[in-house]
Structures are given as structure tokens and as C-alpha cells.
Amino acid sequence: MINTKLLAEICEAPGAPGHEQKIREIVYREVTPLVDSINTDNMGNIYAVKKGKKGKKVMIGAHMDEIGFIVTHIDEQGFVFFHTLGGFDAKTLTAQRVVIHGKKDVVGVMGSKPIHLMSVEERNKTPKIKDYFIDTGIEKKKLEKIISVGDVITRKSKLIEMGDCINCKSLDNRISVFILIEMLREIKTKPEYDIYGVFTVQEEIGLRGANVSSMNINPDFGIGLDTTIAFDTPGSAKKEQVSSLGEGACIKVMDSSTVCDYRMVKYMKDLSVKKKIKTQLEILPAGGTDTAAIQRMNPGGSIAGAVSIPTRHIHQSIEMVHKKDVKEAIKLLKETATNLHTYDWKFK
């Protein structure tokens, strides 16, 4: 069974890049009893460490932040304008509810020009971020007592279960935060190597937290943990799907920022067969994860790979994952992190 109550709390909590406080509180509460030490660096990355029998270090990175916005202007009528924090598909913003996090939370709705008043040319063009504003229903004078330029904005969405799937905002990458917590819970005995479960910040705007934490740890082995595209929907061809829901956790081969170490890929493939873990291989043509920073932002680099969770509707307010894939990802991550000492890591 998946602890959907905990997952809902993690997903629904706000945590725009650089503002991950509420997620950090949940992680500390859940992880502190599970590890030998836990601390936070100046950027806000959390280091949860299970000490091993030997000196080698394994870093697992799961970012806490979600895509969001930041207030840039409030006009004379009280409409709020914003800049993005992370990548958005603008057409998915229409009529979405959001929360502006000021002195208190203010709910707003993404507004744009009514379709009835659009020219034929306007109707046929793809909307841009600049076409949107946020309507809170509050006049400027009252609104400015609550929010101001620089306040962050997140999407508003409740977690629901749909068939065998889970649907919510911020599954990118809160599902990985959940999986990392559950994996640490599953490790009952002292591991061979030190395991650093790192809950990173500001991934959505440039892998910033992972850059810092990787330099801090200097890991021998690195494992990224993030979502990946599941384009297994109508209109897609098999060759462009990347992954499919319900077909297991993904072993990353490469994305646009990382070519995973071929030894790590083979190790994970062999391990999944041996441990009877359902997996699929991931090649992501565009998009990158903390794996890149974990692999390269340290002296000599690390032997790095990644566990990815197939996700539909990514970077929208309705992201979706399959429960079976989540369970397989927990197994794959645990076995990968705890069996590294059994493999011959020489170049061949």
C-alpha cells in the first residue's frame, strides 16, 4: 500500500524554488527517526545520512521545489502580474487556480482575454505567459496590505486517486521526495556504504541545490531521482513515448544534460532482473535533472545513474503517476543504493 495521506501532504504543500520551507518541515518530521544524522546547508538542501560500514559515499538527490511564479506588479485595478519560476506550457494556465503566498495566502485565478473578444488571429495563436494575469477579486488598496512584489505563487490542486493512478500538482518532483523517504524507511540494517539522501532545492531553475550539495558531499556514486515523460497517450507513436505508466520504474540511460555511466546502467538492469523489479529504459530527448549535478559537480565526478518515475501531463496542474511504478521505484532505489559493493566498477 502507498501512504497516500503522506503523499498528499507532500504534494499539496507549496514549495516554489527558493521557498521550500513547508516541504523541509515534512521531510525533517518523517526522516529524522530513520537516519543517523540530518542537517541543512545554507541554501536549504537537506542531508539525511545513513552511515555505512565502509568509507564510500552514495548520494541520492530528489528535489523539493515545484514550478511556480513570482509577483512582479500589481496594477491599479488589483490585477497581479508575474514572472515564471521554472518551465510552463502557457496554454495549460487558462482558468487555473493559484495561491499567492503573501502575509497570508490569497487564492487567485489565471485570467486572460475572453475568447468572445479575440480576433480570429488571436484565437489561432498559441498563448504566451505574458497574456495572463491573476485575478484575486480584491481591490488594489486591500490587496497590497497582504501581498507585494517578490511574493511567490504556486498552483492549487488536491491529490486524488484515479483508478490505479495518483493525480495532483507537483508530482514533479514530490513523488520522488516521497519515494526517497519511503526508501530510507525500508533500509532496516546498516548499509555497506554511507547513504546520503539529499532533498535538494531550486532544481526547476537550474539544478542549483544539487550543484552545491554534490560539491559538499563529493560522492563516489550518484543516483538522481525524478519524474520523466510518459507520452503514452492518444496521438503518440511508440518511438516517442519515452515511458509508459504501469510498466515499471525507469532506468535512465540519458537526457539532455546527462549521459548516465554505462556501468551504472548495466548494474541497474542486471539488478532489476535479479531482484524481479519491473523496469523500463528511459531516453529523454529534452529536459534534465539533478543527475547532471550529482555526476559532475564534484572533483573527479561520480559514477551516476538515475531512477525516473513515468509521469503523464508533466508541468501541468494534473500530473499523474501509476501506483505500481511508485512501488517499483522504491524497490529499485533501495536495491541500487544498498548493493553497490557487489559490483565490479572497473572500466572494461
Side-chain angles (χ1 to χ4, degrees):
M1 292 288 292
I2 289 173
N3 185 348
T4 51
K5 183 179 179 182
L6 175 59
L7 180 55
E9 184 184 9
I10 293 169
C11 288
E12 292 170 13
H19 298 264
E20 299 91 352
Q21 306 91 294
K22 291 189 183 298
I23 313 304
R24 206 156 30 239
E25 290 173 9
I26 299 169
V27 171
Y28 257 82
R29 184 193 72 209
E30 294 294 321
V31 170
T32 299
L34 308 177
V35 296
D36 297 304
S37 67
I38 185 167
N39 61 81
T40 305
D41 65 19
N42 290 334
M43 278 194 74
N45 297 302
I46 300 172
Y47 302 77
V49 185
K50 276 187 176 283
K51 295 299 291 183
K53 300 173 186 176
K54 300 172 185 176
K56 290 188 181 294
K57 292 179 282 190
V58 185
M59 175 180 171
I60 305 167
H63 72 87
M64 296 183 285
D65 59 310
E66 62 182 296
I67 55 174
F69 313 92
I70 190 165
V71 176
T72 58
H73 178 66
I74 303 169
D75 76 6
E76 291 305 311
Q77 293 176 276
F79 295 117
V80 178
F81 294 82
F82 55 86
H83 181 68
T84 54
L85 293 171
F88 276 91
D89 180 355
K91 70 178 181 291
T92 68
L93 298 181
T94 301
Q96 292 292 337
R97 287 196 181 112
V98 294
V99 181
I100 307 171
H101 303 284
K103 292 177 181 176
K104 64 179 182 180
D105 286 351
V106 177
V107 175
V109 64
M110 286 285 180
S112 59
K113 188 174 182 179
I115 193 169
H116 312 72
L117 304 180
M118 289 182 181
S119 65
V120 173
E121 182 182 28
E122 286 173 324
R123 289 185 191 186
N124 291 332
K125 75 175 184 179
T126 303
K128 295 180 173 56
I129 293 291
K130 67 179 179 61
D131 296 328
Y132 292 91
F133 53 85
I134 297 170
D135 185 356
T136 67
I138 303 172
E139 64 181 42
K140 179 183 175 70
K141 189 180 289 186
K142 291 180 181 177
L143 189 61
E144 287 186 325
K145 292 178 181 178
I146 309 169
I147 69 168
S148 62
V149 170
D151 289 339
V152 293
I153 306 158
T154 57
R155 296 160 294 167
K156 185 176 175 61
S157 173
K158 290 287 186 183
L159 184 143
I160 60 172
E161 296 180 60
M162 298 175 63
D164 297 322
C165 295
I166 292 165
N167 182 281
C168 194
K169 75 160 182 81
S170 309
L171 282 164
D172 176 13
N173 191 34
R174 304 291 170 67
I175 191 63
S176 297
V177 171
F178 173 80
I179 287 168
L180 183 49
I181 292 170
E182 294 303 295
M183 188 278 289
L184 292 169
R185 208 187 305 278
E186 288 289 319
I187 300 176
K188 306 296 186 184
T189 59
K190 194 178 186 71
E192 288 295 315
Y193 299 152
D194 293 346
I195 296 176
Y196 288 75
V198 185
F199 300 84
T200 64
V201 298
Q202 299 189 39
E203 188 270 354
E204 294 290 2
I205 53 174
L207 319 184
R208 297 177 186 185
N211 285 337
V212 169
S213 51
S214 184
M215 286 189 288
N216 193 9
I217 295 168
N218 190 18
D220 299 284
F221 300 95
I223 305 168
L225 185 59
D226 209 327
T227 56
T228 191
I229 301 293
F231 185 40
D232 57 344
T233 49
S236 66
K238 271 285 182 185
K239 65 181 180 181
E240 61 184 356
Q241 287 183 356
V242 182
S243 71
S244 298
L245 258 62
E247 295 301 314
C250 287
I251 298 170
K252 187 185 288 290
V253 177
M254 66 168 288
D255 57 34
S256 65
S257 64
T258 312
V259 175
C260 292
D261 195 297
Y262 73 89
R263 296 167 293 177
M264 183 64 82
V265 173
K266 185 177 188 307
Y267 162 69
M268 292 172 74
K269 288 168 67 176
D270 292 348
L271 196 61
S272 66
V273 173
K274 182 180 177 181
K275 300 291 183 178
K276 297 180 180 178
I277 302 168
K278 190 173 185 180
T279 60
Q280 48 191 316
L281 296 176
E282 174 209 5
I283 295 177
L284 184 64
T289 69
D290 278 345
T291 313
I294 296 168
Q295 182 184 51
R296 300 196 295 272
M297 291 302 292
N298 49 78
S302 69
I303 300 172
V307 176
S308 301
I309 302 90
T311 308
R312 284 185 192 149
H313 322 303
I314 212 160
H315 278 213
Q316 299 182 28
S317 295
I318 50 166
E319 295 171 339
M320 184 183 291
V321 297
H322 199 290
K323 294 177 186 178
K324 287 182 183 177
D325 298 337
V326 175
K327 292 175 183 176
E328 296 301 288
I330 294 168
K331 291 181 198 172
L332 179 60
L333 183 62
K334 178 192 171 188
E335 297 297 341
T336 298
T338 58
N339 286 286
L340 290 161
H341 63 286
T342 66
Y343 192 75
D344 181 2
W345 294 100
K346 293 187 183 72
F347 283 110
K348 296 173 185 178

